Amino acid sequence: MRCTLRQLQVFAAVARHASYTRAAEELHLTQPAVFTQVKQLEEALGAVLLDRIGKRLFLTEAGQAVLATARETLEGIERLEMQLADLQGLRRGRLRLAIVSTAQYFLPRLLGDFCTENPGIEVALTVTNRQTVIARLAANEDDLCILGQPPEGLDVVARPIARNPILVLAPPGHPLAGVAALPFAALAEAPFILREPGSGTRAAAEKFFAENGIRPQVRMELGSNEAIKAAVAAGLGLAILSQDTITLEAETGRLVVLDVQGFPLLRVWNVAYPRGKHLSVAATAFLAHLDRGAAGCPRPQP
């Protein structure tokens, strides 16, 4: 059995994207070159690794086994390279992060400071929705994941790194703007614009609604914070969003924060990774960087 690291790397990219074309784009290769590498790997192993059904690629049982080993092998070599570099007094390597979309409003500052301190570390950042981040976390596709509430049912290490207050937003000139200590029941008939089901912010809002016995009047569901802010500013309804998303809008007066009893909802951002994962040197350094910035952040109860 003879296979190369390059073949494993190419196969892992094809499996991750379920596409020869997208794998070729990631690896800066031609599609035929990617296809050839996978075929050579199949010949070396004597097994079919991918099935094409219609226009989609699916891993065979053998493909799933090879993918798991490929990931372990490639991660091990990456750790070795960074450990050797660290022993030589260098700090270089690659840091793979997956974050929920709302985290993009506060993470760049922390990431920028880290990259300034460690210019030799290349960062691969995936910004996506909560379900995809959890799926990537379960598949151990990244060094670290950043999200709100840690997922239930997954054996992960999670620790808070920053506060994440959730606020009620309204357009400027709203009749309730400036009213102190509004009971939430006063908003029971107000139209709301919420994130899509499954988002962390949506889950926090629904939990508060349920605890207060209120069924919100949902006018629309949108999949991005920017779309929600634009809809609120246009007077289409109220929204419940993270404070991190509205810094510019609050400063310019494009949106206002309502003073509602029970708000802000006090949540935190967490960094998470699978329990038992061997963290790379770069990931360990970034964790330490996040911990230094998490002073005063509430810790979870044991």
Side-chain angles (χ1 to χ4, degrees):
M1 180 188 301
R2 288 179 174 271
C3 61
T4 67
L5 287 174
R6 185 57 167 170
Q7 288 169 347
L8 293 177
Q9 180 188 38
V10 171
F11 172 67
V14 173
R16 180 166 58 254
H17 294 295
S19 166
Y20 288 110
T21 301
R22 292 181 62 188
E25 292 171 353
E26 176 187 320
L27 299 171
H28 305 291
L29 297 172
T30 64
Q31 183 177 348
V34 169
F35 182 81
T36 298
Q37 290 278 358
V38 174
K39 294 303 293 184
Q40 289 175 348
L41 178 60
E42 290 181 324
E43 292 171 1
L45 299 177
V48 175
L49 305 181
L50 293 165
D51 281 333
R52 179 180 291 278
I53 301 175
K55 295 183 178 180
R56 298 183 61 188
L57 290 177
F58 295 88
L59 288 172
T60 64
E61 187 175 351
Q64 292 173 355
V66 172
L67 177 60
T69 299
R71 284 173 173 166
E72 292 176 2
T73 301
L74 295 171
E75 289 174 0
I77 289 178
E78 188 172 305
R79 287 197 304 271
L80 176 60
E81 290 175 344
M82 287 188 284
Q83 288 168 352
L84 291 175
D86 204 47
L87 288 173
Q88 297 171 22
L90 304 174
R91 184 56 66 83
R92 61 181 175 85
R94 195 162 190 258
L95 176 65
R96 294 167 300 181
L97 301 174
I99 68 173
V100 295
S101 58
T102 304
Q104 68 183 304
Y105 294 94
F106 82 93
L107 186 66
R109 175 180 53 81
L110 295 175
L111 193 55
D113 293 342
F114 176 76
C115 290
T116 299
E117 296 170 3
N118 304 276
I121 292 182
E122 174 191 352
V123 179
L125 180 64
T126 298
V127 181
T128 184
N129 58 41
R130 175 178 169 83
Q131 294 98 319
T132 303
V133 169
I134 291 175
R136 294 178 67 92
L137 178 60
N140 192 26
E141 292 186 10
D142 306 281
D143 293 309
L144 301 168
C145 295
I146 294 176
L147 68 171
Q149 183 68 23
E152 297 180 1
L154 286 181
D155 189 13
V156 300
V157 176
R159 58 205 209 208
I161 57 170
R163 296 178 183 273
N164 179 27
I166 307 294
L167 309 172
V168 181
L169 307 179
H174 191 278
L176 298 179
V179 179
L182 276 168
F184 193 74
L187 307 181
E189 300 303 320
F192 274 89
I193 304 165
L194 299 181
R195 282 293 302 265
E196 76 284 4
S199 82
T201 306
R202 172 71 175 259
E206 289 179 337
K207 181 180 179 183
F208 187 85
F209 288 141
E211 290 174 346
N212 287 272
I214 292 174
R215 183 184 297 273
Q217 305 300 313
V218 180
R219 171 167 283 176
M220 63 179 68
E221 299 174 346
L222 297 173
S224 78
N225 296 313
E226 295 304 312
I228 289 177
K229 290 188 293 184
V232 173
L236 296 178
L238 307 180
I240 296 178
L241 287 179
S242 167
Q243 178 176 291
D244 291 320
T245 68
I246 63 158
T247 301
L248 179 61
E249 288 80 6
E251 290 176 351
T252 59
R254 184 165 177 254
L255 296 175
V256 296
V257 178
L258 297 186
D259 182 10
V260 180
Q261 293 177 8
F263 282 80
L265 304 180
L266 301 180
R267 290 165 53 86
V268 296
W269 290 112
N270 285 276
V271 59
Y273 55 91
R275 190 177 304 278
K277 179 182 178 70
H278 297 288
L279 295 178
S280 67
V281 175
T284 301
F286 189 58
L287 267 182
H289 179 77
L290 292 177
D291 281 341
R292 288 195 295 273
C297 190
R299 297 287 173 178
Q301 295 299 316

